[in-house]
């Protein structure tokens, strides 16, 4: 599911021309954000195998975690009623250290992601997609261009870390 629509992008970039590759710019920007975050911010179901860290908490690969559908520990189904959910991890409500160190001994199906995507994620996608649009028009990567009636200096910027940095607090936490 796309996070940003063409209409939103047109309004943000103030570019209403029918550019056929705008969806590529948006998809590319969304991919950069997903890779930076370490997860897809859209709400969806995940099925993964994990290894505990010797605690009653288990950090998972996607966030924010919203629900647990099923959990097996060492191949044995456990009741999801025994577990609570935090944005970043699940935990055993009674504090029992069921997530022991070792091989991938936890099989879990859970739902994670945002029902409403945070504005900071949307804005980052819009900013990066707009830079890609500018680049396609020759406005990025050049240092200057002279015309008969005036001169222009252009941005030379292809490093998106500056735009991704505000998302640091939303990145996946790995222990």
């Amino acid at each position: 599911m796309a996070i940003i629509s063409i209409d939103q992008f047109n309004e943000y970039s103030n570019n209403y021309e029918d550019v056929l590759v705008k969806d590529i710019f948006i998809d590319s920007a969304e991919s950069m954000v997903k890779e930076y975050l370490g997860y897809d911010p859209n709400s969806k179901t995940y099925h993964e195998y994990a290894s505990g860290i010797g605690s009653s908490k288990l950090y998972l690969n996607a966030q924010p975690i919203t629900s647990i559908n099923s959990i097996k520990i060492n191949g044995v189904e456990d009741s999801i009623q025994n577990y609570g959910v935090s944005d970043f991890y699940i935990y055993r409500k009674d504090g029992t250290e069921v997530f022991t160190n070792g091989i991938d001994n936890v099989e879990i199906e859970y739902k994670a992601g945002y029902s409403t995507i945070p504005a900071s994620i949307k804005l980052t996608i819009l900013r990066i997609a707009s830079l890609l649009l500018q680049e396609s028009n020759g406005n990025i990567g050049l240092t200057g261009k002279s015309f008969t009636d005036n001169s222009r200096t252009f941005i030379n910027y292809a490093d998106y870390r500056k735009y991704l940095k505000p998302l640091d607090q939303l990145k996946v936490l790995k222990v």
Side-chain angles (χ1 to χ4, degrees), residues 52-121:
I53 58 170
S55 117
S56 61
K57 296 178 183 177
L58 181 66
Y59 291 85
L60 299 171
N61 288 323
Q63 63 186 41
I65 302 163
T66 55
S67 66
I68 303 170
N69 299 339
S70 67
I71 187 166
K72 288 182 184 177
I73 300 174
N74 297 321
V76 178
E77 185 84 30
D78 199 353
S79 171
I80 60 173
Q81 303 305 317
N82 294 330
Y83 298 89
V85 173
S86 169
D87 283 348
F88 310 107
Y89 58 86
I90 65 167
Y91 60 93
R92 178 80 181 199
K93 288 179 181 175
D94 65 7
T96 305
E97 291 185 10
V98 293
F99 305 120
T100 57
N101 285 320
I103 59 170
D104 291 342
N105 60 341
V106 181
E107 181 180 357
I108 184 165
E109 183 177 286
Y110 63 102
K111 190 170 184 178
Y114 298 97
S115 56
T116 302
I117 303 294
S120 59
I121 291 175

Side-chain angles (χ1 to χ4, degrees), residues 126-138:
L126 287 167
R127 292 175 82 189
I128 292 171
S130 293
L131 285 171
L132 293 169
L133 176 66
Q134 288 179 23
E135 183 179 63
S136 72
N137 292 328

